[in-house]
Amino acid sequence: MQVAHAIVDLLLSKVVTLGDVQVIIDGFSAMGFPNCGGAIDGTHIPILGPDHQGSQYINRKGYFSMVLQALVDHKGRFTNINVGWPGKVHDARVFKNSGLFRRLQEGVYFPDRKITVGDVEMPIVILGDPAYPLMPWLMKPYMGALDTEKELFNYRLSKCRMVVECAFGRLKGRWRSLLTR
C-alpha cells in the first residue's frame, strides 16, 4: 500500500496529464477525426472478492473486478483516469459520476476551440463506444441501418477509438499483475 500511495502522490500528476491539446487535436485529425481531444473506454481489473458487498464486484463475465476508465490521447497516453468502481457498474454510470464528466459538461476540461462542420459548430469532442451517452462533446457510433456517410463516420470513429483499446493492452502487457487477482 505504501508503494501505491507513493505512486499516486508523486507520479500520477506527472504521468497522467492532458498535455498540449492542439497536438492531440492535430493527431486525431491526421487519423481522420477532426477536433477530437481523446478516446474513452473502461476495462476490468481482476481483484480478490471483497468480504463486504462482494456481489457488486462481479462483472458481466462472472469474475470479481474493479473498473478502470481512461481517456487517452492520439498516441494512447493516459490523460485522465478513474479507478475503483465495482465491476458490476456499467461504463456509462462510472463516466457520469466522474470528475471528467463534470468538467466536460461545464466546458472547462478543454479550451473553448470550436470548428464549423457544414453548418454546425463542433466543440472539442471525445470518442466513446456505444455504452457511452451521446453528448455535444462525446461522439459515439451510429447504430442500426446505416447509409454510406454514417458507415464512414463509424469507421473513422472506430479507427481513432482503437487507441484506447491499445493503451489498455499495453498497460496490462507491461503490468502483468493487472491480469490476475
Side-chain angles (χ1 to χ4, degrees):
M1 288 308 293
Q2 288 176 324
V3 172
H5 288 298
I7 289 171
V8 169
D9 294 342
L10 301 175
L11 294 177
L12 187 63
S13 63
K14 294 177 184 176
V15 176
V16 180
T17 180
L18 183 56
D20 188 340
V21 175
Q22 192 57 52
V23 171
I24 296 170
I25 290 171
D26 293 344
F28 277 112
S29 288
M31 294 169 66
F33 209 100
N35 221 32
C36 177
I40 191 168
D41 202 2
T43 190
H44 289 269
I45 307 298
I47 62 169
L48 292 173
D51 294 333
H52 66 287
Q53 298 179 332
S55 65
Q56 294 299 307
Y57 288 85
I58 299 174
N59 64 27
R60 61 184 169 81
K61 294 185 179 178
Y63 63 90
F64 292 99
S65 69
M66 292 179 96
V67 177
L68 164 63
Q69 178 185 269
L71 181 70
V72 301
D73 69 8
H74 63 291
K75 291 187 175 182
R77 294 177 293 209
F78 292 90
T79 59
N80 186 282
I81 61 170
N82 184 336
V83 67
W85 281 82
K88 191 173 191 172
V89 178
H90 191 271
D91 283 352
R93 183 168 167 218
V94 172
F95 180 55
K96 283 191 172 185
N97 287 285
S98 69
L100 175 64
F101 181 88
R102 284 187 295 281
R103 290 192 302 274
L104 287 165
Q105 188 75 346
E106 293 166 1
V108 297
Y109 189 75
F110 292 118
D112 189 23
R113 295 184 191 157
K114 295 181 178 168
I115 62 169
T116 303
V117 179
D119 58 348
V120 176
E121 264 195 347
M122 182 177 134
I124 297 174
V125 298
I126 63 173
L127 308 177
D129 64 20
Y132 288 92
L134 181 64
M135 304 294 286
W137 38 261
L138 193 152
M139 298 291 104
K140 66 184 215 173
Y142 285 102
M143 303 302 287
L146 306 177
D147 60 23
T148 308
E149 285 183 12
K150 289 178 181 174
E151 283 181 1
L152 179 60
F153 175 89
N154 280 2
Y155 171 77
R156 288 182 176 170
L157 187 143
S158 176
K159 180 180 172 186
C160 291
R161 210 187 61 73
M162 288 284 294
V163 296
V164 70
E165 302 288 347
C166 294
F168 286 144
R170 284 192 308 274
L171 176 72
K172 290 178 178 181
R174 172 63 180 90
W175 302 97
R176 305 289 293 171
S177 61
L178 296 177
L179 296 171
T180 62
R181 303 176 299 153

